Amino acid sequence: MTAHRTTAPRKVLGRLSLPERTFVADALRTETVGGVLLLIAAITALIWANIPALHDSYESVSHFHFGPEALGLHLSVAHWAADGLLAVFFFVAGIELKRELVAGDLSDPKAAALPVVAALCGMAVPALVYTLTNLSGGGSLQGWAVPTATDIAFALAVLAVIGTSLPSALRAFLLTLAVVDDLFAILIIAVFFTNTIDFAALGGAVVGLAVFWLLLRKGVRGWYVYVPLALVIWALMYNSGVHATIAGVAMGLMLRCHRHEGEEHSPGEHIEHLVRPLSAGLAVPLFALFSAGVAISGGALGDVFTKPQTLGVVLGLVVGKALGIFGGTWLTARFTRASLSEDLAWADVFAVATLAGIGFTVSLLIGELAFDGDAVLTDEVKAAVLTGSLIAAGLATVLLKIRNAKYRKLCEAEERDEDLDGIPDIYEEDDPAYHLRMAAIYENKAAEHRRTAERKAAERRALAEVPGGAGDDDDRPA
């Protein structure tokens, strides 16, 4: 007789493992702080660029050039922010992707299918929405890639501002979506926005990357080795005509993100921990400061909804992202026969999909690349990115607030640690030692309550036995 092994059906957006939950919590904490700084930078840029007395100074600072001209690096401040600082952002994205591939959710093909399909649908549908809008309105198809990106820092800043208690599974889903999103955004930039290639410079960058990889494999340590080498690789990649941020993600992917025996953290995790605050707290906010400063007026905002290029961006971010991610998630669950976690509803998935319509940083970058040479249309598309991101944030806020009481209960359950051992109780339910600790705790509490009850009873008896106690005078005749 053959025994049939039964396996529990896989859960969509189920509870994270404890190590994954700890990593996600640390990553999101830094990204949330960076997201708040990003919001501040974006608001500062809009104020700086739209106050008449300050507008000229914003333009002057943005277009101020510096750097060695002989090396082809005499760039404007805005250019340094887009090509230089964002390379740091994509370096961190490369490490995140590598970690997800070797140690995170993407290391399991079955678990990886959900975020990968959701992210792909969340990029394809916005591109399709933009394309259809422009075909029907006679607009340019150049900006099809603008609404395909999700800005995780901006999305987390919105969560921080509205104060929703989003469960860790949904936060991790949003983070993984953004990681996969960043990978495909890099591929889009590399394939579709590289016009001319200097093969000598590109060859030099490839040689530099090979040296970088060899040094890592040999176990060479020291920032003074890698930082100068990284700068050389970045400069060569920039001069090759391929967008310089590609160098950042390539170096990030080369770092080892699995732990050897005796290691508390892998080199990739360690470097990510060091560099992520620089990326989230400095690189991305400075990029926003010099990219989000577009002139906003009633007429300009009206044009956002009348021109096919800008309307396509808004609809792509607000409608395309939500439908794409939600549809991709539902289809994956449907055809893999996985079931949604009992703690969540499909309305929660739709709310997170709507939140992913915030496409600030990378959307602004792609907008600059797509309409390079047309300053007016570039600014209009930037205004469309800001408008679409704000509408998506507003819709997500309403949807998430409706379910916030449920989220708060889930988060309380995830955080509860009654035995005070530093591990949430929900992760120890199958551990006999945990139940023995809880039994001892409750026995001590029960003993304390019994002692209290005996003491209170003794006090009542003593009070009742006092001569002439309360109530004696009431029996006397007046």
Side-chain angles (χ1 to χ4, degrees):
M1 182 175 178
T2 305
H4 294 282
R5 192 176 68 177
T6 59
T7 56
R10 193 169 55 82
K11 295 294 181 183
V12 174
L13 303 180
R15 188 190 308 157
L16 302 177
S17 66
L18 185 58
E20 186 70 7
R21 180 181 178 275
T22 303
F23 173 83
V24 167
D26 290 343
L28 294 180
R29 195 176 298 114
T30 304
E31 290 288 359
T32 302
V33 173
V36 173
L37 293 175
L38 177 63
L39 278 174
I40 294 170
I43 293 168
T44 301
L46 289 169
I47 293 172
W48 193 0
N50 285 278
I51 294 178
L54 299 176
H55 178 77
D56 288 343
S57 66
Y58 181 81
E59 292 293 319
S60 298
V61 174
S62 294
H63 294 107
F64 176 77
H65 283 65
F66 67 97
E69 194 162 356
L71 298 177
L73 296 174
H74 190 65
L75 311 177
S76 68
V77 170
H79 212 157
W80 276 110
D83 285 88
L85 291 176
L86 276 195
V88 178
F89 166 77
F90 279 111
F91 174 69
V92 173
I95 301 174
E96 284 177 344
L97 179 62
K98 180 69 174 289
R99 198 204 72 84
E100 286 288 342
L101 289 169
V102 301
D105 286 344
L106 300 184
S107 60
D108 177 3
K110 289 184 179 179
L114 175 67
V116 170
V117 172
L120 283 173
C121 292
M123 299 183 84
V125 176
L128 182 62
V129 169
Y130 177 93
T131 302
L132 293 176
T133 303
N134 281 268
L135 285 175
S136 60
S140 168
L141 299 183
Q142 287 176 272
W144 65 270
V146 175
T148 60
T150 293
D151 192 313
I152 183 65
F154 209 132
L156 292 171
V158 170
L159 291 177
V161 170
I162 66 176
T164 184
S165 305
L166 202 63
S168 59
L170 286 176
R171 288 178 181 263
F173 178 58
L174 186 61
L175 179 62
T176 308
L177 270 179
V179 170
V180 178
D181 200 291
D182 287 341
L183 169 66
F184 287 108
I186 276 290
L187 293 175
I188 287 171
I189 291 169
V191 174
F192 295 99
F193 298 106
T194 299
N195 298 320
T196 58
I197 296 179
D198 182 331
F199 287 99
L202 182 59
V206 171
V207 170
L209 287 170
V211 172
F212 190 88
W213 183 82
L214 283 171
L215 291 174
L216 289 172
R217 290 300 168 271
K218 295 293 184 182
V220 175
R221 297 189 177 188
W223 65 267
Y224 45 83
V225 174
Y226 291 103
V227 172
L229 179 58
L231 291 174
V232 170
I233 294 169
W234 173 85
L236 287 167
M237 189 70 77
Y238 174 82
N239 281 288
S240 74
V242 178
H243 201 270
T245 52
I246 304 295
V249 77
M251 287 184 279
L253 286 168
M254 288 181 181
L255 292 173
R256 176 169 61 82
C257 290
H258 61 274
R259 300 175 191 176
H260 287 165
E261 190 175 349
E263 282 186 338
E264 187 176 350
H265 301 288
S266 68
E269 290 173 325
H270 177 66
I271 292 171
E272 182 185 16
H273 181 73
L274 295 175
V275 180
R276 187 188 285 275
L278 176 65
S279 168
L282 181 67
V284 174
L286 279 178
F287 168 76
L289 183 64
F290 294 108
S291 290
V294 294
I296 301 293
S297 64
L301 289 175
D303 288 344
V304 165
F305 297 98
T306 55
K307 289 190 174 182
Q309 294 92 332
T310 50
L311 180 60
V313 169
V314 173
L315 291 178
L317 288 171
V318 177
V319 179
K321 272 289 183 184
L323 293 180
I325 292 173
F326 179 81
T329 306
W330 186 86
L331 287 172
T332 304
R334 175 73 178 80
F335 288 105
T336 59
R337 290 183 291 184
S339 59
L340 188 68
S341 170
E342 298 89 349
D343 296 329
L344 301 173
W346 283 108
D348 302 315
V349 180
F350 187 78
V352 170
T354 304
L355 188 65
I358 299 173
F360 191 77
T361 304
V362 181
S363 288
L364 289 176
L365 175 63
I366 294 177
E368 290 180 357
L369 296 172
F371 298 102
D372 187 27
D374 189 338
V376 174
L377 190 52
T378 298
D379 279 353
E380 289 173 345
V381 167
K382 285 182 178 181
V385 170
L386 292 172
T387 304
S389 296
L390 288 173
I391 293 172
L395 287 174
T397 297
V398 173
L399 295 173
L400 292 170
K401 277 295 186 183
I402 291 171
R403 296 273 292 168
N404 201 37
K406 173 70 172 177
Y407 297 154
R408 195 176 294 114
K409 289 179 181 177
L410 290 176
C411 287
E412 287 172 359
E414 287 180 0
E415 298 294 333
R416 188 177 297 116
D417 181 19
E418 290 190 54
D419 60 343
L420 302 176
D421 66 343
I423 300 174
D425 296 340
I426 204 166
Y427 288 96
E428 298 184 292
E429 291 174 346
D430 294 328
D431 182 4
Y434 160 74
H435 292 285
L436 290 174
R437 289 196 299 274
M438 290 306 301
I441 290 170
Y442 284 125
E443 285 166 4
N444 289 335
K445 286 182 178 179
E448 180 63 31
H449 282 297
R450 279 192 289 271
R451 286 193 294 270
T452 302
E454 290 169 0
R455 187 175 69 252
K456 294 295 182 183
E459 289 173 357
R460 284 191 178 186
R461 287 194 300 271
L463 186 63
E465 291 170 1
V466 174
D472 289 353
D473 292 339
D474 297 336
D475 295 332
R476 296 173 185 174

